[in-house]
Every structure is written in structure tokens, then in C-alpha cells.
Amino acid sequence: MVLKTFGWAFAVTAAGLAVGALYGGWAALGIVAVLAVLEISLSFDNAVINAGILKKMSAFWQLIFLTIGVLIAVFGMRLVFPVLIVSLTAKIGPVEAVELAINDKNRYQQLVTDAHPSIAAFGGVFLLMIFLNFIFEDREIKWQAWLERPLAKLGQVDMLAVCIALIVLLVASMTVATHAHQHGGTHADKAQTVLTAGIAGLITYLIVGGLSRFFEHRIEDEEERVEEAAKKRGPGSAAALTGKAAFFMFLYLEVIDASFSFDGVIGAFAITNDIVLMVLGLGIGAMYVRSLTVYLVRQGTLDDFVYLEHGAHYAIGALALILLITIQYQISELITGLVGVVLIGWSFWSSVRRNARLAA
């Protein structure tokens, strides 16, 4: 069962690590491995959400999502999106960005380093919004109850997450952004750039969240119509409406996938600026999203490790703060990667201990 479900993911992992080693030696292999672990850990909650929706769909639409959907996830968001980020922030063409990343690494590194304040501000605010909206939601299961319980009460204040994100952005623009790190060890005042990029990150998050809620409401409406049609018009009408509902589910899943791809890609910039290594690590993670989704649907359970979703979002929050700090200060890629791994490992161990207590 495990080999059948995760076979392709294992194969892509072996191939990705091998290419990373050939591309840049042991250091590159290590970065690819850290990126893969980070993406897999962040993708677990994505797989849980995907499985919860996918199990309601027909076998045909499940196949569409697990084939076309994974192509969009791997080659669209994980390959095209990092290139677009570098292209926009460094103000160069996408083709030129790829050519520089492969053929002129020094020039590419200079452009990305100088554009890093924009990338960090955009990504930091986007990731911070994901974390804040998670931590302010009142959940039945709480990992760090001493912290999550009072924050859930504060979360009842409307638009609190947006206010906090803007305050953090304003503080960053007046502190680390005034001495932003540039190529060659110099510093420059990037306050206005950081403010603009951070607001763009906030707007992007609000748009993605709005689209997700739109499709979610359409799905609920279609499900209600299916139930009414089954009672009043018979099976024929219900089948037609089910197909329409499945189409909205597919669109909703693609929006969800895109939003989770944002945090993975943006978080990767906190670890490396190398597009090749980024695509390798994130591509491995995207394959595990597919495999985890299939596994969870076939097993019929999403509750084995209840704290992993919490750990993933705590890792997102940590990455958000690290990105903002790196506007001025350089932080080791190893430290950045280990923060996420430690938080995910801690949440996994807490889930195992919880299961053992319940079994006892």
C-alpha cells in the first residue's frame, strides 16, 4: 500500500537529490533535502484539506485532480512562480532570469540579493497572514493550549490579523528596512520598497483567501441543490448537479493548492536563492502532496497525527519572522531550515504521545 501510493514520490526524491548533488555537490544536496523536508511538512495540512474535499468527488474528478492538478502544482507554481518572483523584483525578463541562474550565478546572486528586501517583505507578510489566521481561529484541538486558547479569544476581534500584519510591516520598514542588506555587504534604505512589497503580499493573501471562500460557498450551494434535486426531481437531475458541484470543487482545490504553493515557494527564499535547487526541493514536496492526498483518501482517516497541522503553521509563522529579519541581517540557511524541521518534529512527537495516552 505504502510503496504503491508513494512509489512515484520516492522515485522523484531519489532523482531530485541526485541532480542536486551533480549540480552543486554535497552542499546543494543538503539544501535540496532541507527544502524537500520543509515543503513536505508544510504540505501535510494541504494534503489533509485536499483529501477532505477529494473524497466527496467522483473517481473521474479525483483522477483529473491527481493528474492535471499535480502538473499544475509542480510545473506551474513550483517552477514558474519562483522565476516570476525573481523577474519582477529584479526587473528582468523571465527567460533572462533562468539563463542567469544557470549560466551567470554571480550576476544572478547579485540581482536576487539586491531584490531580497522586496521578496522578504512580500513573503513575510503573506506567510504571517497564514499563521495569524490559523492561530486566531478557535479550534477544538489545541497543541499549545496555554497560547492558543487566549489567542483564539482575541481572534474574535474583526480584522485583527490584518492589523497586526500591517503593524509588523510598519515596524520592519522603520527598523530593518532602513539598513537593508545589499550585494557586497553594503546597506541601503529600502523602507518604501519594503512597505510597497509588504502591502502587495497582504493584497495577494486577501485575494487568494477571497477566491477560496468564493469557491467554498459555491460548493456548499451546489451540495444543497444536489440534496434538494435528489428529493424532488429524481436521480437524473442530481447526477447533473453533482457534476457541476465537482467542477467547482476542482476549481476550489486548485485555488487551495495555489495558496499552499505560495507559502512553500516564499518560504524557500528564506533558505536559498538558487532557482534550480528551489525547483528540485519544491518539486519533491509537490509529489508528496499528491501521494499523501491519495493515501489519506484511501485510508479514510485524517486524524492520526492531529498536531501536525499546528506544527506546520508554527513553522510558517517562524519563516515569516525570519524573512523580515533577513531584510537587514543574514541568517544561515541551515538555521532557517532546522527551525521548520524542529517544529514539525515536535508536533509529530506530540501527536504520537497523544495517541499513546488515548490508547492507554
Side-chain angles (χ1 to χ4, degrees):
M1 173 67 180
V2 173
L3 185 60
K4 181 179 179 181
T5 305
F6 289 89
W8 278 106
F10 292 154
V12 171
T13 300
L17 292 175
V19 172
L22 292 173
Y23 173 74
W26 290 107
L29 185 146
I31 292 173
V32 171
V34 169
L35 281 172
V37 171
L38 177 65
E39 177 72 0
I40 291 167
S41 64
L42 294 179
S43 297
F44 186 87
D45 50 357
N46 188 13
V48 170
I49 293 171
N50 286 350
I53 300 173
L54 201 63
K55 66 183 180 181
K56 303 176 184 179
M57 301 169 69
S58 66
F60 170 77
W61 282 101
Q62 288 183 5
L63 181 63
I64 291 294
F65 174 74
L66 296 174
T67 52
I68 297 176
V70 77
L71 289 176
I72 295 172
V74 174
F75 296 103
M77 294 304 299
R78 268 79 175 188
L79 177 60
V80 176
F81 187 55
V83 174
L84 287 178
I85 288 180
V86 174
S87 176
L88 290 172
T89 54
K91 298 180 181 179
I92 59 177
V95 176
E96 185 182 355
V98 175
E99 290 177 349
L100 286 175
I102 297 174
N103 301 322
D104 191 352
K105 294 182 182 179
N106 291 332
R107 173 60 178 162
Y108 172 79
Q109 182 69 26
Q110 178 182 345
L111 290 173
V112 174
T113 301
D114 291 342
H116 181 74
S118 301
I119 297 172
F122 179 93
V125 172
F126 184 90
L127 295 180
L128 184 61
M129 283 296 298
I130 293 176
F131 170 71
L132 290 175
N133 276 299
F134 176 86
I135 203 70
F136 284 146
E137 184 177 342
D138 190 9
R139 300 175 180 274
E140 182 180 351
I141 296 176
K142 295 178 175 61
W143 180 31
Q144 304 296 328
W146 61 273
L147 176 64
E148 295 171 17
R149 191 173 288 114
L151 289 178
K153 293 180 179 179
L154 285 175
Q156 297 176 6
V157 178
D158 192 31
M159 301 298 288
L160 180 61
V162 174
C163 293
I164 291 178
L166 288 174
I167 291 171
V168 171
L169 175 61
L170 185 61
V171 171
S173 68
M174 294 188 299
T175 54
V176 291
T178 58
H179 294 83
H181 176 75
Q182 298 288 275
H183 182 73
T186 61
H187 292 82
D189 188 348
K190 294 283 186 177
Q192 184 175 353
T193 300
V194 166
L195 270 177
T196 303
I199 292 173
L202 178 61
I203 292 173
T204 302
Y205 176 84
L206 294 176
I207 290 174
V208 171
L211 287 173
S212 298
R213 286 189 295 273
F214 169 76
F215 286 124
E216 191 173 9
H217 292 155
R218 292 299 296 268
I219 290 170
E220 292 173 356
D221 293 341
E222 290 295 334
E223 287 178 342
E224 291 177 1
R225 292 174 61 187
V226 166
E227 293 176 0
E228 293 176 1
K231 295 177 182 178
K232 298 179 181 179
R233 301 179 183 177
S237 298
L241 289 173
T242 300
K244 189 177 180 181
F247 175 70
F248 281 120
M249 284 185 181
F250 175 74
L251 294 178
Y252 176 59
L253 279 172
E254 290 305 311
V255 173
I256 291 292
D257 254 11
S259 65
F260 278 94
S261 300
F262 273 124
D263 63 44
V265 172
I266 292 168
F269 274 103
I271 297 175
T272 182
N273 290 326
D274 194 312
I275 289 181
V276 176
L277 299 181
M278 195 179 299
V279 170
L280 289 174
L282 297 180
I284 292 172
M287 289 303 299
Y288 277 93
V289 175
R290 177 191 181 279
S291 298
L292 283 170
T293 301
V294 173
Y295 182 81
L296 292 172
V297 170
R298 290 175 178 174
Q299 290 293 104
T301 177
L302 302 175
D303 302 321
D304 288 341
F305 305 104
V306 296
Y307 297 138
L308 274 176
E309 186 178 7
H310 296 73
H313 281 85
Y314 276 75
I316 289 173
L319 280 176
L321 295 179
I322 288 173
L323 274 172
L324 293 174
I325 293 172
T326 57
I327 293 174
Q328 180 176 350
Y329 303 101
Q330 290 182 289
I331 297 178
S332 170
E333 298 164 348
L334 179 62
I335 294 175
T336 305
L338 284 177
V339 168
V341 173
V342 168
L343 287 168
I344 296 297
W346 184 12
S347 64
F348 175 80
W349 177 243
S350 298
S351 301
V352 171
R353 292 180 59 189
R354 176 183 181 275
N355 292 342
R357 287 197 303 269
L358 292 177

